[in-house]
Amino acid sequence: MATTLVRPRTHVTPAVRAHKAPSLRHLGPNWYASVMGTAIVANAGATLPYQLPGQRVACQLVWALSAVALAALLTARAGHWLHHRDQARAHLLDPAVAPFYGCLSMALLAVGGGTLIVGKDLIGTGAAVAVDAALFTAGTAIGLVMAVAVPYLMVVRHKVEAGQATPVWLLPLVAPMVSAALGPLLIPHLPAGQPREALLLACYAMFGISLLATLLMLPLIFGRLLVGGPLPLVLTPTLFLVLGPLGQSTTAVNQLADVAPQSVDGTLAGALGAFAVVYGVPVMGFALLWLALAVAMLVRAARNGMGFAMTWWALTFPVGTCVTGATGLAHHTGLTAFAWLAAALFLVLLTTWLLAAAHTLHGLFTGRLLAG
């Protein structure tokens, strides 16, 4: 009589999973900020009021780099969830890490927007529209979920105190604003009539979601600075995250005003064009005030020995949103001063991106950044 050998099932422990892919265990959602920071260089550079010879080609290369980085990071993060679910769950339950899940949405949106802005030169307009539509849909859905899920976890599961408030808390709340700013790129490719108007008003709705949520959060962050003093050195660059909703909202209203005449009647389109200037100019003024404060705090931290950390990527995407915001205001006001401001901020963006990218590559090659 033949006997059947039954192989006993083995339980795969977290330790065994960690041994399978040790380099992925400490790969957190904050890494998506590097994709955001790279994509915004291409998007902002390609839309600047001033264009130098070869500038668009350089932006195409940077966009391609951001697309490759996004694909690699999505694959690596999938491996993280597959082999290190315990660590992934721990990230969601950590109030210092969970807000970074908003970066996934913004990375998808930024690369998708860049596909229509400069990527179409390489892959064609039809393919670019299809890619951007897919990334915009996925990024918007994820952003809206995280805008609810992360605050819910902070209320129900996280144990946070007022003294723990940092600009990182803004990340899941800014994601819908990125959708509002990049959604207008798709509107001209929709059928005229209801589809265009629906997307236009949906973008304004997401503008409102993000703006009002940000206005609730900013007093907590500024109050923490006044009462608790400067942030720890490693978190000082995150002060620049406040620029994100400011610059991105200015970009959004200007981008939406550009496509409003194709989507709604003339009277409403004219009002939306006026709103872009009436809203954008004061907000850009406050953004410059906050930029000055953040730079002063960054200089102080550097003098006190601040070293490189992935928080340096906070110096890129938020500044880039101010570049695109100033560019939009230059277009709608006709003021050369806004064009100069956009160019000056772009030089700041390019400098911080080069610094963050160089240190990140060095950290990857040495293994320090993935060591935990």
Side-chain angles (χ1 to χ4, degrees):
M1 180 177 177
T3 58
T4 302
L5 297 178
V6 179
R7 181 175 299 173
R9 294 183 179 179
T10 57
H11 176 64
V12 180
T13 64
V16 173
R17 285 195 295 266
H19 180 70
K20 288 183 177 180
S23 62
L24 298 181
R25 182 161 181 79
H26 300 289
L27 185 72
N30 58 314
W31 279 78
Y32 286 114
S34 62
V35 177
M36 297 160 51
T38 302
I40 197 69
V41 172
N43 298 355
T47 55
L48 273 179
Y50 303 113
Q51 295 289 313
L52 300 175
Q55 183 170 324
R56 188 167 183 86
V57 175
C59 291
Q60 293 168 1
L61 295 175
V62 175
W63 165 79
L65 176 62
S66 71
V68 171
L70 176 63
L73 193 52
L74 287 172
T75 303
R77 285 287 297 164
H80 181 270
W81 272 93
L82 179 64
H83 297 294
H84 306 287
R85 291 177 187 171
D86 61 316
Q87 185 76 352
R89 293 192 189 98
H91 284 164
L92 280 172
L93 297 178
D94 185 345
V97 181
F100 285 101
Y101 273 89
C103 292
L104 168 58
S105 165
M106 292 184 279
L108 294 170
L109 292 165
V111 173
T115 306
L116 260 185
I117 294 172
V118 293
K120 64 183 180 182
D121 299 343
L122 302 176
I123 65 175
T125 301
V129 171
V131 171
D132 185 30
L135 293 179
F136 176 80
T137 302
T140 298
I142 293 171
L144 291 173
V145 169
M146 291 304 166
V148 175
V150 174
Y152 173 83
L153 288 174
M154 293 179 71
V155 172
V156 176
R157 299 296 298 274
H158 299 165
K159 304 298 182 182
V160 295
E161 299 176 357
Q164 295 176 285
T166 72
V168 172
W169 288 7
L170 291 170
L171 287 172
L173 306 179
V174 180
M177 189 68 79
V178 180
S179 293
L182 294 175
L185 294 173
L186 288 168
I187 288 178
H189 301 282
L190 292 174
Q194 292 266 337
R196 292 186 181 183
E197 183 176 1
L199 182 54
L200 180 80
L201 296 184
C203 287
Y204 273 109
M206 289 186 286
F207 166 85
I209 289 171
S210 183
L211 177 63
L212 295 177
T214 298
L215 291 177
L216 290 175
M217 193 67 72
L218 276 180
L220 294 176
I221 296 168
F222 191 55
R224 151 67 182 87
L225 293 175
L226 291 179
V227 176
L231 295 174
L233 296 183
V234 71
L235 290 178
T236 301
T238 65
L239 289 171
F240 283 73
L241 293 176
V242 175
L243 298 175
L246 303 176
Q248 198 67 282
S249 62
T250 303
T251 302
V253 293
N254 281 277
Q255 292 284 87
L256 289 165
D258 286 339
V259 297
Q262 308 172 35
S263 310
V264 293
D265 64 74
T267 303
L268 181 55
L272 295 178
F275 176 67
V277 177
V278 172
Y279 173 88
V281 172
V283 171
M284 184 58 64
F286 179 68
L288 294 177
L289 172 66
W290 189 272
L291 177 62
L293 174 63
V295 168
M297 298 298 293
L298 189 68
V299 171
R300 174 188 175 277
R303 288 178 175 176
N304 288 333
M306 179 188 68
F308 173 74
M310 288 298 288
T311 51
W312 279 32
W313 283 101
L315 306 174
T316 56
F317 189 82
V319 175
T321 67
C322 292
V323 175
T324 55
T327 297
L329 288 174
H331 171 67
H332 283 100
T333 64
L335 285 177
T336 306
F338 281 119
W340 291 347
L341 176 62
L345 289 173
F346 182 74
L347 292 178
V348 174
L349 168 63
L350 193 58
T351 300
T352 56
W353 176 73
L354 289 171
L355 286 172
H359 280 85
T360 300
L361 289 175
H362 180 265
L364 283 173
F365 288 142
T366 60
R368 183 180 68 86
L369 288 180
L370 295 176

